[in-house]
Amino acid sequence: MPRSLVMLPLAALLLIGCVEATEPPHPSLLPSPAPTAPSSSPSAAPTVATPSGTPPSLSVDPVLEGLTDPLDIAWRPDDPETLFVVEQVGRVRIVREDRLVERPFLDISGLVRAGGESGLLGLAFLPSGEAGRFFVYYTNDAGRQVVASYDIDPNDPDVAAPGTATVWLDMAD
């Protein structure tokens, strides 16, 4: 069995362990209740009302522009109103009050091989009592999966301190 397959669950546990299990989900990530037809029986399953069996119509409206291949969202436990969006190309961007902050929170695009199933793939912040550090999971330019931590700049919470990188896991294929 390749070493990367053995180490992958360890990396997942490390990232999962960085988030409190009792933390409520961010309000913007909660699903809206689905519309249901009135039911005459309390045991009947709710159904979506559609005219004569026609499938419901869905549409997607963009809410934010300016991101490149976004694939993950996280937030700091001490700042649930600020979203951190992971871009596959190797950047973490901040969204505050429905606006994209111009300066990236973290830019490790020079370390990341992006494309397909590779790139900057995950972000996790430590629980509230241990604010100041976060973890990222990415594919480096040599094609290896890496779990690393960074500190948040103590003078500016909207930017990571790039010189504080600590590699916790470096997996070869």
Side-chain angles (χ1 to χ4, degrees), residues 31-57:
S32 301
T36 59
S39 171
S40 59
S41 166
S43 62
T47 58
V48 176
T50 58
S52 65
T54 307
S57 173

Side-chain angles (χ1 to χ4, degrees), residues 38-168:
S39 171
S40 59
S41 166
S43 62
T47 58
V48 176
T50 58
S52 65
T54 307
S57 173
L58 300 175
S59 65
V60 178
D61 295 322
V63 294
L64 187 68
E65 293 183 4
L67 294 167
T68 304
D69 299 326
L71 51 80
D72 192 16
I73 298 174
W75 60 92
R76 289 189 288 234
D78 61 343
D79 184 11
E81 298 302 316
T82 301
L83 296 179
F84 294 80
V85 180
V86 174
E87 294 180 312
Q88 186 177 18
V89 295
R91 288 186 303 263
V92 176
R93 306 291 303 275
I94 293 176
V95 176
R96 187 176 287 122
E97 297 175 3
D98 297 328
R99 294 178 190 252
L100 184 64
V101 174
E102 187 174 333
R103 178 180 60 168
F105 172 72
L106 175 70
D107 186 348
I108 57 170
S109 55
L111 303 175
V112 172
R113 176 189 291 176
E117 295 182 7
S118 299
L120 181 54
L121 303 172
L123 168 69
F125 288 95
L126 288 174
S128 296
E130 305 169 50
R133 173 164 289 174
F134 64 96
F135 291 81
V136 291
Y137 170 63
Y138 64 92
T139 310
N140 71 9
D141 55 3
R144 299 165 64 101
Q145 287 80 44
V146 175
V147 174
S149 68
Y150 288 84
D151 291 339
I152 298 170
D153 187 321
N155 300 315
D156 185 353
D158 283 354
V159 68
T164 63
T166 300
V167 174
W168 293 85

